Short mmCIF file of all heavy atoms in Angstrom, two decimals:
data_model
loop_
_atom_site.label_atom_id
_atom_site.label_comp_id
_atom_site.label_asym_id
_atom_site.label_seq_id
_atom_site.Cartn_x
_atom_site.Cartn_y
_atom_site.Cartn_z
N GLN A 32 -20.58 -9.98 10.43
CA GLN A 32 -20.22 -10.28 11.78
C GLN A 32 -18.71 -10.51 11.92
O GLN A 32 -18.28 -10.73 13.12
CB GLN A 32 -20.92 -11.59 12.21
CG GLN A 32 -22.42 -11.37 12.43
CD GLN A 32 -23.19 -11.56 11.16
OE1 GLN A 32 -22.81 -12.28 10.15
NE2 GLN A 32 -24.22 -10.83 10.87
N GLY A 33 -17.99 -10.39 10.86
CA GLY A 33 -16.54 -10.48 11.01
C GLY A 33 -16.02 -11.89 10.89
O GLY A 33 -14.93 -12.13 11.12
N LYS A 34 -16.88 -12.77 10.41
CA LYS A 34 -16.48 -14.20 10.32
C LYS A 34 -15.88 -14.36 8.86
O LYS A 34 -16.32 -14.04 7.92
CB LYS A 34 -17.74 -15.06 10.45
CG LYS A 34 -18.15 -15.32 11.77
CD LYS A 34 -17.86 -16.89 12.22
CE LYS A 34 -18.55 -17.33 13.30
NZ LYS A 34 -18.33 -16.67 14.60
N LEU A 35 -14.69 -14.97 8.85
CA LEU A 35 -13.92 -15.30 7.67
C LEU A 35 -14.67 -16.30 6.78
O LEU A 35 -15.06 -17.36 7.38
CB LEU A 35 -12.54 -15.58 8.00
CG LEU A 35 -11.55 -15.52 6.88
CD1 LEU A 35 -11.45 -14.09 6.23
CD2 LEU A 35 -10.25 -15.86 7.28
N ARG A 36 -14.99 -15.99 5.68
CA ARG A 36 -15.58 -17.00 4.73
C ARG A 36 -14.70 -17.64 3.77
O ARG A 36 -14.82 -18.70 3.22
CB ARG A 36 -16.79 -16.54 4.10
CG ARG A 36 -17.82 -15.93 5.05
CD ARG A 36 -18.49 -17.18 5.87
NE ARG A 36 -19.42 -16.80 6.80
CZ ARG A 36 -19.61 -17.35 7.91
NH1 ARG A 36 -18.91 -18.45 8.30
NH2 ARG A 36 -20.54 -17.03 8.78
N LEU A 37 -13.61 -16.88 3.35
CA LEU A 37 -12.78 -17.29 2.29
C LEU A 37 -11.43 -16.50 2.45
O LEU A 37 -11.52 -15.26 2.81
CB LEU A 37 -13.34 -17.02 1.00
CG LEU A 37 -12.81 -17.97 -0.18
CD1 LEU A 37 -13.88 -18.90 -0.68
CD2 LEU A 37 -12.53 -17.06 -1.38
N GLN A 38 -10.32 -17.11 2.16
CA GLN A 38 -9.16 -16.33 2.17
C GLN A 38 -8.15 -16.95 1.28
O GLN A 38 -8.05 -18.18 1.04
CB GLN A 38 -8.53 -16.43 3.61
CG GLN A 38 -8.13 -17.77 4.07
CD GLN A 38 -7.44 -17.76 5.29
OE1 GLN A 38 -6.80 -16.82 5.80
NE2 GLN A 38 -7.21 -19.04 6.01
N LYS A 39 -7.60 -16.09 0.43
CA LYS A 39 -6.60 -16.47 -0.53
C LYS A 39 -5.44 -15.60 -0.45
O LYS A 39 -5.50 -14.43 -0.58
CB LYS A 39 -7.26 -16.36 -1.98
CG LYS A 39 -6.54 -17.06 -2.95
CD LYS A 39 -6.77 -18.64 -2.92
CE LYS A 39 -5.76 -19.45 -3.67
NZ LYS A 39 -5.95 -20.94 -3.66
N TRP A 40 -4.27 -16.23 -0.21
CA TRP A 40 -3.03 -15.33 0.05
C TRP A 40 -2.10 -15.63 -1.19
O TRP A 40 -1.77 -16.79 -1.44
CB TRP A 40 -2.43 -15.79 1.28
CG TRP A 40 -3.25 -15.55 2.48
CD1 TRP A 40 -4.19 -16.29 3.00
CD2 TRP A 40 -3.14 -14.28 3.34
NE1 TRP A 40 -4.85 -15.67 4.04
CE2 TRP A 40 -4.24 -14.44 4.26
CE3 TRP A 40 -2.39 -13.16 3.27
CZ2 TRP A 40 -4.44 -13.48 5.29
CZ3 TRP A 40 -2.72 -12.17 4.29
CH2 TRP A 40 -3.70 -12.31 5.31
N TYR A 41 -1.81 -14.55 -1.87
CA TYR A 41 -0.89 -14.69 -2.94
C TYR A 41 0.54 -14.36 -2.64
O TYR A 41 1.39 -14.14 -3.44
CB TYR A 41 -1.33 -13.79 -4.11
CG TYR A 41 -2.84 -14.28 -4.65
CD1 TYR A 41 -3.88 -13.49 -4.49
CD2 TYR A 41 -2.88 -15.49 -5.31
CE1 TYR A 41 -5.13 -13.95 -4.92
CE2 TYR A 41 -4.13 -15.90 -5.73
CZ TYR A 41 -5.17 -15.15 -5.53
OH TYR A 41 -6.42 -15.57 -6.01
N VAL A 42 0.71 -14.15 -1.30
CA VAL A 42 2.11 -13.93 -0.85
C VAL A 42 2.44 -14.87 0.34
O VAL A 42 1.52 -15.25 1.01
CB VAL A 42 2.18 -12.47 -0.28
CG1 VAL A 42 2.26 -11.55 -1.44
CG2 VAL A 42 1.01 -12.15 0.63
N PRO A 43 3.57 -15.32 0.46
CA PRO A 43 3.91 -16.27 1.49
C PRO A 43 3.98 -15.56 2.85
O PRO A 43 4.93 -14.71 3.08
CB PRO A 43 5.24 -16.82 1.05
CG PRO A 43 5.83 -15.77 0.19
CD PRO A 43 4.67 -14.93 -0.36
N LEU A 44 3.08 -15.85 3.81
CA LEU A 44 3.13 -15.22 5.09
C LEU A 44 2.99 -16.37 6.11
O LEU A 44 2.31 -17.33 5.78
CB LEU A 44 2.06 -14.16 5.26
CG LEU A 44 2.21 -12.92 4.52
CD1 LEU A 44 1.00 -12.11 4.69
CD2 LEU A 44 3.44 -12.12 4.96
N SER A 45 3.39 -16.16 7.27
CA SER A 45 3.10 -17.12 8.32
C SER A 45 1.68 -17.09 8.77
O SER A 45 1.04 -16.21 8.47
CB SER A 45 4.03 -16.92 9.53
OG SER A 45 3.64 -15.91 10.20
N ASP A 46 1.26 -18.23 9.27
CA ASP A 46 -0.19 -18.25 9.79
C ASP A 46 -0.30 -17.10 10.76
O ASP A 46 -1.53 -16.59 10.78
CB ASP A 46 -0.55 -19.62 10.45
CG ASP A 46 -0.59 -20.65 9.43
OD1 ASP A 46 -0.76 -20.35 8.15
OD2 ASP A 46 -0.58 -21.81 9.72
N LYS A 47 0.53 -16.82 11.55
CA LYS A 47 0.40 -15.86 12.66
C LYS A 47 0.10 -14.44 11.96
O LYS A 47 -0.81 -13.76 12.42
CB LYS A 47 1.64 -15.93 13.50
CG LYS A 47 1.46 -15.33 14.87
CD LYS A 47 2.72 -15.36 15.72
CE LYS A 47 2.93 -14.15 16.49
NZ LYS A 47 4.34 -14.10 16.96
N GLU A 48 1.03 -14.16 10.95
CA GLU A 48 0.76 -12.90 10.28
C GLU A 48 -0.63 -12.78 9.52
O GLU A 48 -1.17 -11.74 9.67
CB GLU A 48 1.87 -12.53 9.42
CG GLU A 48 3.23 -12.15 9.96
CD GLU A 48 4.37 -12.23 8.95
OE1 GLU A 48 4.82 -13.49 8.64
OE2 GLU A 48 4.70 -11.19 8.52
N LYS A 49 -0.96 -13.94 8.99
CA LYS A 49 -2.17 -13.88 8.21
C LYS A 49 -3.33 -13.63 9.19
O LYS A 49 -4.23 -12.78 8.91
CB LYS A 49 -2.41 -15.30 7.65
CG LYS A 49 -1.50 -15.55 6.43
CD LYS A 49 -1.89 -16.92 5.90
CE LYS A 49 -0.95 -17.33 4.70
NZ LYS A 49 -1.06 -18.66 4.25
N LYS A 50 -3.29 -14.27 10.24
CA LYS A 50 -4.30 -14.10 11.40
C LYS A 50 -4.37 -12.54 11.77
O LYS A 50 -5.40 -12.01 11.97
CB LYS A 50 -4.09 -14.97 12.58
CG LYS A 50 -4.74 -16.29 12.45
CD LYS A 50 -4.66 -17.01 13.77
CE LYS A 50 -4.50 -18.55 13.43
NZ LYS A 50 -4.12 -19.08 14.64
N LYS A 51 -3.18 -12.05 12.00
CA LYS A 51 -3.02 -10.69 12.52
C LYS A 51 -3.64 -9.75 11.57
O LYS A 51 -4.43 -8.84 11.71
CB LYS A 51 -1.57 -10.33 12.72
CG LYS A 51 -1.49 -9.16 13.63
CD LYS A 51 0.00 -8.98 14.10
CE LYS A 51 0.24 -7.56 14.53
NZ LYS A 51 1.31 -7.00 13.78
N ILE A 52 -3.21 -9.88 10.23
CA ILE A 52 -3.70 -9.08 9.17
C ILE A 52 -5.22 -9.12 9.08
O ILE A 52 -6.01 -8.13 8.96
CB ILE A 52 -3.03 -9.39 7.92
CG1 ILE A 52 -1.57 -8.97 7.99
CG2 ILE A 52 -3.55 -8.56 6.67
CD1 ILE A 52 -0.70 -9.45 6.81
N THR A 53 -5.69 -10.39 9.09
CA THR A 53 -7.07 -10.56 8.87
C THR A 53 -7.90 -9.86 9.92
O THR A 53 -8.90 -9.14 9.68
CB THR A 53 -7.40 -12.14 8.90
OG1 THR A 53 -6.56 -12.76 8.00
CG2 THR A 53 -8.94 -12.37 8.55
N ARG A 54 -7.55 -10.08 11.18
CA ARG A 54 -8.26 -9.51 12.32
C ARG A 54 -8.21 -7.91 12.16
O ARG A 54 -9.22 -7.32 12.17
CB ARG A 54 -7.44 -9.87 13.57
CG ARG A 54 -8.54 -9.80 14.72
CD ARG A 54 -7.79 -10.11 16.09
NE ARG A 54 -6.84 -11.19 15.93
CZ ARG A 54 -5.45 -11.03 16.26
NH1 ARG A 54 -5.10 -9.91 16.77
NH2 ARG A 54 -4.62 -12.04 16.16
N GLU A 55 -7.22 -7.42 11.84
CA GLU A 55 -7.06 -5.95 11.69
C GLU A 55 -7.81 -5.40 10.54
O GLU A 55 -8.55 -4.43 10.76
CB GLU A 55 -5.44 -5.62 11.42
CG GLU A 55 -5.05 -4.33 12.14
CD GLU A 55 -3.53 -4.08 11.85
OE1 GLU A 55 -2.77 -4.98 12.14
OE2 GLU A 55 -3.29 -3.06 11.36
N LEU A 56 -7.89 -6.05 9.49
CA LEU A 56 -8.58 -5.62 8.27
C LEU A 56 -10.00 -5.69 8.45
O LEU A 56 -10.79 -4.74 8.17
CB LEU A 56 -8.07 -6.41 7.06
CG LEU A 56 -7.02 -5.66 6.22
CD1 LEU A 56 -6.85 -6.41 4.95
CD2 LEU A 56 -7.56 -4.31 5.94
N VAL A 57 -10.43 -6.88 8.99
CA VAL A 57 -11.86 -7.07 9.28
C VAL A 57 -12.36 -5.92 10.13
O VAL A 57 -13.38 -5.31 9.81
CB VAL A 57 -12.11 -8.50 9.88
CG1 VAL A 57 -13.66 -8.65 10.34
CG2 VAL A 57 -11.74 -9.50 8.92
N GLN A 58 -11.64 -5.64 11.11
CA GLN A 58 -12.16 -4.56 12.07
C GLN A 58 -12.13 -3.23 11.31
O GLN A 58 -13.14 -2.51 11.41
CB GLN A 58 -11.12 -4.35 13.28
CG GLN A 58 -11.53 -5.28 14.35
CD GLN A 58 -10.36 -5.19 15.44
OE1 GLN A 58 -9.49 -4.37 15.38
NE2 GLN A 58 -10.44 -6.05 16.37
N THR A 59 -11.12 -2.92 10.52
CA THR A 59 -11.07 -1.61 9.85
C THR A 59 -12.12 -1.55 8.89
O THR A 59 -12.79 -0.47 8.82
CB THR A 59 -9.75 -1.49 9.09
OG1 THR A 59 -8.66 -1.99 9.97
CG2 THR A 59 -9.46 -0.11 8.79
N VAL A 60 -12.43 -2.58 8.14
CA VAL A 60 -13.38 -2.44 7.02
C VAL A 60 -14.82 -2.44 7.70
O VAL A 60 -15.65 -1.53 7.15
CB VAL A 60 -13.27 -3.66 6.01
CG1 VAL A 60 -14.46 -3.60 5.05
CG2 VAL A 60 -11.95 -3.48 5.31
N LEU A 61 -15.07 -3.23 8.56
CA LEU A 61 -16.38 -3.21 9.25
C LEU A 61 -16.70 -1.85 9.93
O LEU A 61 -17.90 -1.51 10.10
CB LEU A 61 -16.54 -4.38 10.30
CG LEU A 61 -16.55 -5.76 9.64
CD1 LEU A 61 -16.71 -6.81 10.71
CD2 LEU A 61 -17.79 -5.86 8.68
N ALA A 62 -15.70 -1.10 10.42
CA ALA A 62 -15.90 0.09 11.03
C ALA A 62 -16.13 1.14 10.11
O ALA A 62 -16.68 2.28 10.53
CB ALA A 62 -14.57 0.47 11.84
N ARG A 63 -16.11 0.95 8.78
CA ARG A 63 -16.31 2.02 7.81
C ARG A 63 -17.83 2.13 7.65
O ARG A 63 -18.57 1.15 7.69
CB ARG A 63 -15.61 1.83 6.58
CG ARG A 63 -14.17 2.15 6.78
CD ARG A 63 -13.30 1.67 5.50
NE ARG A 63 -13.60 2.49 4.39
CZ ARG A 63 -12.98 3.60 3.99
NH1 ARG A 63 -12.11 4.03 4.69
NH2 ARG A 63 -13.27 4.34 2.84
N LYS A 64 -18.11 3.33 7.34
CA LYS A 64 -19.68 3.52 7.14
C LYS A 64 -20.13 3.10 5.76
O LYS A 64 -19.39 3.06 4.81
CB LYS A 64 -20.09 5.04 7.24
CG LYS A 64 -19.63 5.47 8.75
CD LYS A 64 -20.31 6.83 9.10
CE LYS A 64 -19.79 7.32 10.42
NZ LYS A 64 -18.34 7.71 10.38
N PRO A 65 -21.34 2.75 5.63
CA PRO A 65 -21.72 2.20 4.45
C PRO A 65 -21.59 3.06 3.16
O PRO A 65 -21.28 2.51 2.10
CB PRO A 65 -23.35 1.96 4.58
CG PRO A 65 -23.77 2.68 5.81
CD PRO A 65 -22.45 2.78 6.62
N LYS A 66 -21.65 4.33 3.26
CA LYS A 66 -21.60 5.18 2.11
C LYS A 66 -20.05 5.52 1.72
O LYS A 66 -19.95 6.31 0.82
CB LYS A 66 -22.40 6.44 2.36
CG LYS A 66 -23.93 6.23 2.13
CD LYS A 66 -24.35 6.13 0.70
CE LYS A 66 -25.64 5.64 0.47
NZ LYS A 66 -26.79 6.37 0.98
N MET A 67 -19.32 5.14 2.42
CA MET A 67 -17.90 5.50 2.22
C MET A 67 -17.26 4.73 1.04
O MET A 67 -17.73 3.72 0.59
CB MET A 67 -16.97 5.09 3.47
CG MET A 67 -17.15 6.14 4.51
SD MET A 67 -16.23 5.43 6.00
CE MET A 67 -15.09 6.78 6.21
N CYS A 68 -16.30 5.41 0.37
CA CYS A 68 -15.67 4.86 -0.73
C CYS A 68 -14.91 3.43 -0.46
O CYS A 68 -14.67 3.14 0.70
CB CYS A 68 -14.86 5.85 -1.47
SG CYS A 68 -13.17 5.94 -0.59
N SER A 69 -14.79 2.73 -1.56
CA SER A 69 -14.23 1.31 -1.42
C SER A 69 -12.81 1.29 -1.09
O SER A 69 -12.26 0.11 -1.16
CB SER A 69 -14.62 0.61 -2.57
OG SER A 69 -16.03 0.59 -2.79
N PHE A 70 -12.09 2.30 -1.04
CA PHE A 70 -10.63 2.17 -0.94
C PHE A 70 -10.12 2.71 0.37
O PHE A 70 -10.64 3.74 0.84
CB PHE A 70 -9.91 3.03 -1.98
CG PHE A 70 -10.56 2.86 -3.46
CD1 PHE A 70 -11.07 4.03 -4.11
CD2 PHE A 70 -10.70 1.62 -3.87
CE1 PHE A 70 -11.71 3.73 -5.22
CE2 PHE A 70 -11.39 1.44 -5.08
CZ PHE A 70 -11.89 2.46 -5.77
#
Side-chain angles (χ1 to χ4, degrees):
Chain A
Q32 291 77 33
K34 280 248 194 303
L35 196 60
R36 294 300 179 213
L37 201 109
Q38 55 171 350
K39 193 82 197 176
W40 299 81
Y41 297 110
V42 285
L44 290 173
S45 72
D46 285 346
K47 204 174 138 199
E48 277 170 289
K49 286 181 187 172
K50 269 188 217 169
K51 196 170 159 237
I52 292 172
T53 310
R54 204 181 323 122
E55 217 178 303
L56 263 186
V57 168
Q58 270 175 13
T59 318
V60 170
L61 287 179
R63 285 173 69 93
K64 298 197 185 66
K66 282 282 164 65
M67 282 173 118
C68 75
S69 300
F70 316 122

